[in-house]
């Protein structure tokens, strides 16, 4: 008998979503991630949960409708991670006529199904706060509703839920060989130790490493795909409102400028065909300049190259030759050769439809296993058992219970852990009860939780994926954090 029903290679959003779905339906699951969860393309997403206006512009109405349904599911199941916001599109007749934009947004409203998100509207930004940060020649804009998401936290909490449902999540575990018989026999280097794992089915969800895994581990011909480098920049906050700006660039690409970690603005994305090592993907100076120029067409405050405090890049895959942008659907193949264990290969796609992709992937295995019905559309992620409209109430309750927290600190913690914040802070009465401090935000008790419950092993796991505190933490505090983590058993 095999050790597991399903083995998954890859701990990005596709991999952890499949692990969660399958474990919740009664399968014995192991997930193998050679590095950290969400360390590839998942951390370079544009942080949007949306229907995507550019997809709508290509008249892919079914895709947009499907994505907007998924947006509603995320609002119900991850209200701490997914936040509704108003997106502002300044009118610019050189790119798209205002009446065309208005027509697309009216259709967008019709395709959406959530009645509690406000419909699109036309605004005069010369007399509106959203216009304060914009250049004066722009007088008209359109507003619509969509959502932003903490993509890295989404990956980690999906893995947490999978583990709580019985999945074996192993980071720092690299599959070096897979032999396919009536079951899979996997040779794994798990944090320096070699072990053998058997599974009745295998899912290759290794993202940009799909070809490498197929050729060197599975010793099979890889599927046809193209690779795309996705890049964004982070600068100091350029505006005071909580809106997301959607700028029409002169190449008709839509560029998003979003509030990011309180004091910053995230600007992106730009995508180009990519060849090379996915572990070494980085943003080019040309792409940095492109995004700065796109922002400078609209913002009063200029964005120069020296203003960029961080660049974010990742490699994503698209079916067929790369065309410079990732597709919403991703790609999935299923090999069920008679007499051999099944193989699922899945790659690409966006954050919005990740849950649905995983549900469809696990459904491919139903002829092989008895399993319970589909369930992820109705079950909250850990900490998400409250209505999204009550997010501010959760923040107020946290400040009232742990009076040493400032409102911004409580907001960050609730956004990360939701209703499970008490598991971390417990009965603490003052800041000193939380252990050593690493800057104004991070404490020893939170670090211990992330190491024990969320697979954090190194400082970067905490500073850039479990949080984004790396943006503000001093080098001295980083060194103290590294020493603290190294000292823990």
């Amino acid at each position: 008998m095999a050790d597991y029903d399903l083995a998954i290679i890859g701990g990005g959003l596709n991999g952890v979503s499949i692990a969660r779905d399958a474990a919740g339906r009664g399968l014995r699951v192991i997930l193998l991630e050679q590095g950290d969860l969400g360390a590839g393309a998942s951390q370079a997403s544009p942080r949007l949960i949306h229907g995507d206006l550019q997809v709508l512009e290509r008249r892919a109405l079914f895709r947009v409708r499907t994505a907007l349904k998924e947006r509603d599911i995320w609002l119900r199941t991850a209200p701490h991670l997914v936040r509704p916001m108003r997106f502002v599109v300044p009118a610019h007749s050189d790119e798209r006529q205002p009446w065309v934009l208005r027509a697309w947004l009216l259709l967008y409203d019709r395709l959406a199904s959530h009645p509690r998100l406000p419909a699109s509207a036309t605004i005069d930004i010369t007399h509106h706060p959203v216009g304060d940060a914009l250049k004066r020649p722009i007088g008209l804009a359109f507003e619509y509703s969509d959502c932003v998401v903490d993509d890295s936290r989404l990956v980690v909490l999906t893995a947490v839920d999978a583990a709580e449902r019985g999945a074996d999540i192993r980071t720092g575990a690299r599959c070096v060989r897979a032999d396919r018989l009536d079951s899979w026999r996997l040779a794994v280097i798990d944090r320096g130790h070699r072990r053998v794992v058997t599974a009745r089915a295998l899912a290759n969800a290794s993202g940009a490493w799909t070809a490498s895994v197929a050729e060197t581990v599975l010793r099979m011909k890889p599927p046809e795909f193209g690779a795309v480098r996705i890049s964004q920049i982070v600068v100091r906050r350029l505006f005071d409102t909580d809106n997301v700006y959607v700028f029409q660039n002169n190449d008709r690409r839509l560029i998003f400028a979003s509030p990011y970690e309180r004091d910053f603005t995230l600007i992106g994305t730009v995508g180009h065909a990519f060849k090379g090592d996915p572990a070494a993907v980085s943003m080019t100076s040309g792409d940095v300049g492109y995004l700065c120029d796109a922002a400078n067409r609209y913002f009063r405050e200029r964005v120069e190259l020296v203003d960029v405090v961080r660049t974010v890049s990742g490699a994503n895959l698209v079916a067929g030759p790369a065309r410079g942008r990732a597709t919403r659907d991703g790609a999935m193949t299923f090999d069920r050769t008679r007499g051999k264990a099944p193989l699922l290969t899945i790659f690409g796609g966006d954050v919005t439809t990740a849950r649905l992709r995983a549900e469809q992937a696990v459904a491919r295995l139903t002829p092989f296993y008895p399993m319970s019905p589909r369930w992820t559309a109705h079950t909250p992620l850990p900490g998400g058992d409250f209505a999204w409209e009550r997010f501010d109430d959760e923040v107020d309750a946290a400040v009232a219970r742990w009076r040493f927290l400032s409102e911004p600190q409580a907001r960050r913690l609730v956004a990360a852990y939701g209703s499970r914040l008490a598991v971390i802070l417990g009965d603490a009465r003052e800041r000193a009860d939380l252990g050593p401090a690493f800057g104004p935000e991070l404490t020893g008790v939170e670090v211990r939780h992330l190491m024990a419950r969320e697979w954090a092993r190194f400082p970067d796991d905490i500073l850039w994926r479990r949080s984004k505190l790396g943006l503000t933490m001093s080098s001295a505090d980083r060194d103290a954090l590294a020493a603290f983590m190294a000292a823990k058993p």
Side-chain angles (χ1 to χ4, degrees):
M1 180 179 179
D3 302 323
Y4 298 93
D5 296 315
L6 175 63
I8 302 165
I9 300 175
L13 187 54
N14 280 332
V16 297
S17 298
I18 292 171
R20 178 187 183 230
D21 190 297
R25 296 172 72 171
L27 273 61
R28 298 168 300 150
V29 177
I30 184 171
L31 182 143
L32 306 169
E33 164 54 46
Q34 65 179 349
D36 186 31
L37 299 173
S42 297
Q43 69 174 351
S45 85
R47 294 171 62 98
L48 300 177
I49 298 288
H50 64 150
D52 197 334
L53 283 179
Q54 288 195 298
V55 172
L56 180 63
E57 197 172 35
R58 296 195 291 270
R59 295 173 173 80
L61 303 188
F62 178 75
R63 289 183 182 179
V64 174
R65 173 65 171 165
T66 298
L68 291 174
K69 286 183 177 179
E70 289 300 302
R71 183 189 72 181
D72 296 346
I73 290 172
W74 285 124
L75 275 172
R76 291 197 308 271
T77 59
H80 47 329
L81 307 179
V82 178
R83 304 298 302 153
M85 300 188 79
R86 293 293 276 174
F87 286 55
V88 177
V89 189
H92 200 306
S93 58
D94 291 345
E95 311 304 334
R96 294 168 179 84
Q97 291 295 326
W99 69 267
V100 173
L101 273 175
R102 188 70 184 113
W104 285 124
L105 289 173
L106 288 172
L107 178 57
Y108 201 72
D109 291 339
R110 292 293 300 272
L111 293 173
S113 60
H114 203 297
R116 295 182 180 177
L117 295 185
S120 61
T122 304
I123 55 175
D124 178 1
I125 59 176
T126 60
H127 301 92
H128 195 284
V130 299
D132 293 345
L134 300 178
K135 292 180 176 178
R136 278 304 174 207
I138 302 170
L140 186 69
F142 302 106
E143 218 180 25
Y144 68 98
S145 293
D146 256 327
C147 300
V148 296
V149 62
D150 187 334
D151 44 0
S152 297
R153 292 296 304 164
L154 184 65
V155 172
V156 171
L157 290 187
T158 300
V160 168
D161 200 29
E164 291 180 353
R165 298 176 189 279
D168 187 358
I169 307 295
R170 294 188 172 269
T171 61
R174 183 166 62 95
C175 182
V176 295
R177 183 182 176 94
D179 294 310
R180 187 185 191 188
L181 302 170
D182 57 345
S183 64
W184 287 94
R185 186 178 185 273
L186 311 177
V188 180
I189 305 299
D190 189 351
R191 304 195 183 189
H193 301 282
R194 187 179 181 91
R195 60 180 299 209
V196 174
V197 172
T198 57
R200 296 173 62 192
L202 177 66
N204 180 2
S206 53
W209 287 264
T210 298
S212 175
V213 169
E215 291 178 330
T216 65
V217 178
L218 308 181
R219 302 179 307 284
M220 301 173 66
K221 181 181 178 181
E224 288 190 14
F225 60 83
V228 176
R229 182 183 64 240
I230 304 168
S231 302
Q232 301 165 92
I233 60 174
V234 179
V235 300
R236 293 288 175 182
R237 186 148 187 173
L238 297 173
F239 49 92
D240 294 328
T241 66
D242 286 331
N243 299 89
V244 175
Y245 289 93
V246 185
F247 296 145
Q248 304 175 75
N249 208 19
N250 51 15
D251 57 3
R252 296 188 65 81
R253 188 191 301 270
L254 296 182
I255 303 298
F256 295 85
S258 309
Y260 187 71
E261 302 299 315
R262 290 203 305 263
D263 298 324
F264 299 90
T265 298
L266 180 71
I267 302 174
T269 63
V270 57
H272 293 294
F274 172 77
K275 291 183 179 180
D277 182 0
V281 62
S282 61
M283 192 170 185
T284 66
S285 59
D287 283 347
V288 174
Y290 171 89
L291 291 178
C292 289
D293 290 344
N296 290 334
R297 291 188 71 196
Y298 292 88
F299 283 126
R300 285 185 179 185
E301 183 178 347
R302 286 192 60 81
V303 179
E304 307 292 350
L305 295 178
V306 295
D307 298 321
V308 177
V309 298
R310 179 172 170 79
T311 63
V312 183
S313 292
N316 202 357
L317 302 184
V318 295
R323 300 181 185 276
R325 63 172 179 251
T327 62
R328 165 163 305 256
D329 300 332
M332 189 186 311
T333 63
F334 188 62
D335 183 349
R336 49 183 299 178
T337 304
R338 181 181 294 274
K340 293 188 176 182
L343 171 65
L344 174 72
T345 302
I346 181 171
F347 59 82
D350 73 349
V351 174
T352 307
T353 53
R355 185 211 65 84
L356 180 60
R357 276 197 308 280
E359 186 176 79
Q360 293 169 342
V362 176
R364 298 286 188 96
L365 299 173
T366 52
F368 300 89
Y369 310 108
M371 62 178 74
S372 56
R374 302 179 182 191
W375 61 281
T376 56
H378 310 289
T379 306
L381 287 174
D385 52 346
F386 61 91
W388 64 266
E389 300 97 330
R390 296 189 58 80
F391 180 86
D392 289 339
D393 295 335
E394 292 287 321
V395 174
D396 293 342
V399 172
R401 179 171 177 180
W402 297 286
R403 296 185 179 277
F404 53 84
L405 292 178
S406 67
E407 191 274 341
Q409 289 171 340
R411 186 168 292 274
R412 179 188 75 83
L413 290 168
V414 171
Y417 305 105
S419 61
R420 292 194 174 187
L421 182 54
V423 174
I424 301 170
L425 301 187
D427 296 324
R429 295 181 177 275
E430 55 186 28
R431 176 86 174 191
D433 295 336
L434 302 182
F438 310 100
E441 296 272 356
L442 189 63
T443 62
V445 70
E446 186 177 0
V447 173
R448 293 188 192 100
H449 172 85
L450 294 173
M451 295 178 70
R453 303 287 184 87
E454 296 192 7
W455 304 280
R457 296 185 294 151
F458 305 108
D460 278 1
D461 299 344
I462 292 176
L463 297 178
W464 297 114
R465 287 178 285 279
R466 293 356 176 244
S467 75
K468 296 295 185 292
L469 294 175
L471 287 167
T472 55
M473 185 171 287
S474 69
S475 59
D477 284 321
R478 289 171 190 258
D479 292 341
L481 172 63
F484 179 82
M485 294 180 71
K488 299 304 294 180

